Amino acid sequence: MSVTIKDVAKVANVAPSTVSRVIANSPRISERTKEKVRQAMKELDYHPNYNARNLANKSTKTIGLIMPNSVNKTFQNPFFPEVIRGISTKAHQLDYGLYLSTGQSDEEIFEEVQDMVLGRRVDGIILLYSKVNDKLMSYLYHEKFPFTVIGRPYDQEKLDVTYVNNDNFKAAKTVTEYLLLLGHERIAFIGGNLETVVTLDHMEGYKKALMNADIGVKDDYVVFHEELQEGGQEAVIDLMSLSDRPTALIVADDIMTFGVMRMLSEMDVKVPEDISIISFNNVLISELSSPPMTTVDINIYSLGFEAANCLIDQINHPDIKTKQVIIPHKLIKRQTCQKISNRSFN
Amino acid sequence: MSVTIKDVAKVANVAPSTVSRVIANSPRISERTKEKVRQAMKELDYHPNYNARNLANKSTKTIGLIMPNSVNKTFQNPFFPEVIRGISTKAHQLDYGLYLSTGQSDEEIFEEVQDMVLGRRVDGIILLYSKVNDKLMSYLYHEKFPFTVIGRPYDQEKLDVTYVNNDNFKAAKTVTEYLLLLGHERIAFIGGNLETVVTLDHMEGYKKALMNADIGVKDDYVVFHEELQEGGQEAVIDLMSLSDRPTALIVADDIMTFGVMRMLSEMDVKVPEDISIISFNNVLISELSSPPMTTVDINIYSLGFEAANCLIDQINHPDIKTKQVIIPHKLIKRQTCQKISNRSFN
DNA sequence: CTGAAAGCGCTAACAG
DNA sequence: CTGTTAGCGCTTTCAG
């Protein structure tokens, strides 16, 4: 079998407990013995057994990542690799490992999380999404298990969970105002999954801006779709069939925007000449659309990085106050928006 | 503290070992006691402690996923969520968990893997990439630790590792032949990272097809780039500056193709009228380019699914023969290729 | 400053 | 069919 702490102890001529202390770098061990022990560890290529250590410590130094249910293909979104990259970086710095959920349906995921929590498989959890009335969040909340949400909780009574979010309301409002300033009045909104908090926040921001400008919210101009690929395309069909076609589109997600632009180009509607588009996320490919899309950079990497940071804080200081951090966003102007032109079609 | 096997034993009025047997669903326990114990487990909401169980079992039921070093941003590629989805599905079916590497540089990753292996943190490993002369692969190979590669080993002496791959040579060859049949002769190749086995295989296939057609391989027509976004764009600049511009492009990756098309459109080169493009992977967004790209579907999901399958087999039957599985690919014809036209520019 | 011993929660002989 | 006991490899009192 593998080399254990006892083997090291034997070689170094000390007790196992001493070796353990050296690993923990206890100050109560003399430099001389430390050196001796370290020597032995190198010699034997000793690596501590995680499970034994975790068991004795009641801590695993790993954090669980919960993906949204992958039944619809949201998981395809390059958003996820990027948040994970952020999380990963922080986790690595602080010597934490990452454990991934594998469930496909909400029930499977719930089961899984329960196992993680009660089975002490992870020290804390990051929810990579946030949706309304999430059973999972309620569960973690009531178990008082350390967790942080990317996005935000929806129910009022859970405002005190730790989360990392963008100001999506504000972002959507600003974006709408921007289009308004460019002279657009017929502005449509293509949102994502309605169960998702970010969608709701976007919509509120959109409505608010319109109201402030004394422009009524037209129901026909507000559509939702959870499918990233087909979603954008179908939405376009609906919107372009209206008698008073919109002159500007606010789209929930860059990937969806690709679909939107695809469909528009099929219909020979020119962007931005005939219609302006503005989108959210700024995933890496978003600059590669033709024309390159104007979008809101939400700093996905930082969302992940901060989430890991907050979670680990929470793990280390169980009585710490919960934290709510807002990652700044930024409008990235590229080439899908322009002042409304007189040659507005229809 | 949490509820343990002893608590359950007490409530059910049996010995801890009996409870353990019920968990394992041992046939040597009467249905009556099984029922009694299960009852108690529900009552107490018992969930076994993973670490204790892993320690006693010397097995963790979790598999390690090793990402490529994320220094360059290859990880952004939607390829990864999709392989992971495949892996995840199989893993979930067989009750395996997923553990993610977090290292950023090759050295960090190597350290990490060594810890995983020697520290018994995972039962097996999947390498999500394959590059030439990979230290990591050599390590796992010599440790005789269960692992499978997505892609294939490059060195001759390691042909007997278990891997899941596409026939990338053939795919590239076919694709080149296809362009040849469309009348193209000036066909350029834009490859990915040269350290990557798939790139090498693509290149070989490309050359082979040209040779078979008695067309010389022009060095200027073969360029490599590891950056997904900028890569495509830079490559286009190089190629379009040639006096005899290519009339067709073979691009290593869909995301890169977005960059290629972006740049081409900036230069007012029309696809496919002026230049044909064919790409690899068929990630989900690839159908959303304008025009939608012709690409080779490599069945990313299956790559992951099979890799998990092979690995778990290997874990359960350590003496099983290694396996090499080839996932079929398929040319997806969309709208970026056409017969060479007389109005060929330059 | 270091050693002995108990224990983390579960499994696996070995008895019976 | 079920209970007793001894570990799995590490940490942590408690002595000294």
Side-chain angles (χ1 to χ4, degrees), chain A residues 47 50 76 82 115 121, chain B residues 47 50 76 82 102 115 121:
Chain A
H47 286 249
Y50 277 103
Q76 296 300 331
E82 185 68 357
D115 274 2
R121 190 165 196 150
Chain B
H47 286 249
Y50 277 104
Q76 295 300 331
E82 185 67 356
T102 62
D115 274 2
R121 191 167 194 147

Side-chain angles (χ1 to χ4, degrees), chain B residues 19-278:
Chain B
V19 178
S20 174
R21 286 184 189 110
V22 173
I23 295 170
N25 199 15
S26 156
R28 323 185 318 182
I29 299 285
S30 74
E31 266 316 317
R32 251 191 81 253
T33 31
K34 269 188 189 172
E35 221 20 79
K36 204 171 52 178
V37 171
R38 289 200 183 111
Q39 200 56 47
M41 301 204 310
K42 293 285 154 280
E43 230 177 280
L44 302 176
D45 195 19
Y46 169 77
H47 286 249
N49 178 306
Y50 277 104
N51 296 115
R53 171 184 268 236
N54 292 347
L55 180 57
N57 273 335
K58 295 170 173 326
S59 137
T60 59
K61 294 276 260 177
T62 108
I63 83 192
L65 265 33
I66 313 301
M67 316 285 204
N69 87 42
S70 62
V71 172
N72 57 47
K73 302 195 175 144
T74 50
F75 183 46
Q76 295 300 331
N77 203 318
F79 174 87
F80 290 102
E82 185 67 356
V83 228
I84 291 180
R85 203 169 61 88
I87 295 174
S88 184
T89 304
K90 190 71 202 178
H92 190 83
Q93 284 174 13
L94 272 44
D95 254 303
Y96 272 76
L98 260 30
Y99 186 86
L100 230 61
S101 74
T102 62
Q104 323 263 293
S105 68
D106 284 354
E107 300 74 49
E108 283 180 1
I109 295 175
F110 189 82
E111 282 288 317
E112 223 182 334
V113 168
Q114 217 170 309
D115 274 2
M116 286 189 201
V117 170
L118 267 16
R120 298 277 175 271
R121 191 167 194 147
V122 298
D123 289 348
I125 279 180
I126 299 180
L127 295 181
L128 262 42
Y129 64 90
S130 49
K131 59 175 193 178
V132 297
N133 298 132
D134 191 8
K135 268 188 64 184
L136 202 46
M137 197 162 92
S138 296
Y139 173 74
L140 294 170
Y141 185 76
H142 288 119
E143 284 289 316
K144 299 189 190 324
F145 193 78
F147 77 103
T148 103
V149 177
I150 292 191
R152 68 174 185 88
Y154 189 66
D155 347 10
Q156 297 304 324
E157 88 243 26
K158 281 193 217 84
L159 288 182
D160 60 327
V161 312
T162 291
Y163 65 80
V164 179
N165 198 13
N166 300 107
D167 190 340
N168 292 313
F169 170 84
K170 175 115 176 289
K173 179 159 163 284
T174 304
V175 144
T176 311
E177 288 164 349
Y178 175 61
L179 290 169
L180 253 9
L181 287 174
L182 290 181
H184 295 275
E185 300 207 329
R186 305 215 297 272
I187 304 174
F189 172 84
I190 303 179
N193 186 328
L194 251 179
E195 311 255 271
T196 282
V197 182
V198 55
T199 302
L200 270 11
D201 287 344
H202 279 160
M203 189 177 54
E204 291 305 326
Y206 161 78
K207 287 187 176 168
K208 180 70 175 175
L210 289 185
M211 280 167 53
N212 286 351
D214 269 324
I215 294 184
V217 175
K218 234 189 114 182
D219 280 352
D220 286 342
Y221 280 178
V222 180
V223 302
F224 301 94
H225 216 294
E226 43 180 302
E227 294 295 337
L228 243 30
Q229 339 290 122
E230 307 83 40
Q233 315 202 38
E234 291 183 17
V236 168
I237 298 179
D238 291 345
L239 290 169
M240 289 326 221
S241 309
L242 295 175
S243 58
D244 47 351
R245 293 176 165 189
T247 63
L249 262 30
I250 296 174
V251 187
D253 183 285
D254 293 340
I255 303 299
M256 227 176 187
T257 301
F258 273 98
V260 167
M261 289 176 69
R262 172 87 269 286
M263 190 52 100
L264 252 17
S265 109
E266 250 171 58
M267 303 166 74
D268 258 322
V269 176
K270 298 269 174 289
V271 178
E273 292 81 357
D274 298 331
I275 195 165
S276 287
I277 300 182
I278 196 159

